[in-house]
């Protein structure tokens, strides 16, 4: 019989030990209702009231007790290094103008690999390296509102 969860604890409590964990890539962590397969072949039926973006360390609360920890999977990314802080802002603007999910940090930006975007970034003077690590892009300003409309449509796979 599969586990069932209708609640997320974000972040998961440090003082609780989860029964299991599940490792998901960034695109697979935006969920509402889904059958999730754990590493030990058990199954969790996730049935939330609304879609959420699960983060590394979140807990799914299981009916009947217990928790499942969400882990962010390493992903194939570009690490973008600017010349200086102003250059980082300029690079972030170009990526945002293309609606690309980006993890922006002091001194670097992470994005999913795309050779066309890499060529653009290098042309703008950025240093771009291929890396593999968990991806935690910023949520857009419209994310909490459940959507937006500014004259064109997006495909979110």
């Amino acid at each position: 019989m599969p586990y069932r969860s209708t609640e997320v604890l974000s972040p998961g409590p440090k003082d609780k030990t989860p029964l299991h964990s599940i490792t998901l890539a960034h695109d697979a962590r935006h969920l509402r209702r889904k059958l999730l397969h754990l590493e030990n072949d058990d199954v969790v039926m996730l049935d939330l009231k609304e879609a959420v973006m699960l983060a590394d360390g979140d807990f799914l609360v299981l009916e009947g007790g217990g928790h499942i920890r969400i882990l962010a999977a390493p992903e194939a990314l570009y690490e973008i290094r600017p010349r200086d802080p102003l250059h980082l802002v300029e690079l972030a603007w170009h990526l945002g103008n293309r609606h690309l999910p980006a993890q922006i940090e002091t001194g670097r930006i992470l994005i999913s690999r795309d050779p066309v975007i890499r060529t653009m970034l290098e042309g703008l003077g950025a240093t771009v390296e291929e890396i593999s690590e968990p991806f935690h892009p910023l949520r857009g300003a419209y994310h909490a509102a459940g959507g937006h409309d500014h004259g064109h449509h997006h495909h979110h796979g």
Side-chain angles (χ1 to χ4, degrees), residues 72-129:
E75 300 186 48
L77 304 172
Y78 287 147
E79 179 183 64
I80 304 156
R81 296 275 181 184
R83 292 185 301 267
D84 55 45
L86 178 59
H87 191 221
L88 182 125
V89 172
E90 293 168 352
L91 295 169
W93 182 88
H94 282 282
L95 295 169
N97 195 39
R98 286 154 183 82
H99 297 271
L100 294 175
Q103 181 176 330
I104 302 172
E105 301 175 358
T106 303
R108 74 176 189 163
I109 301 171
L110 302 179
I111 63 168
S112 295
R113 292 183 193 169
D114 179 327
V116 172
I117 298 299
R118 180 180 189 154
T119 300
M120 176 197 75
L121 291 165
E122 290 173 338
L124 292 167
T127 301
V128 181
E129 298 292 330

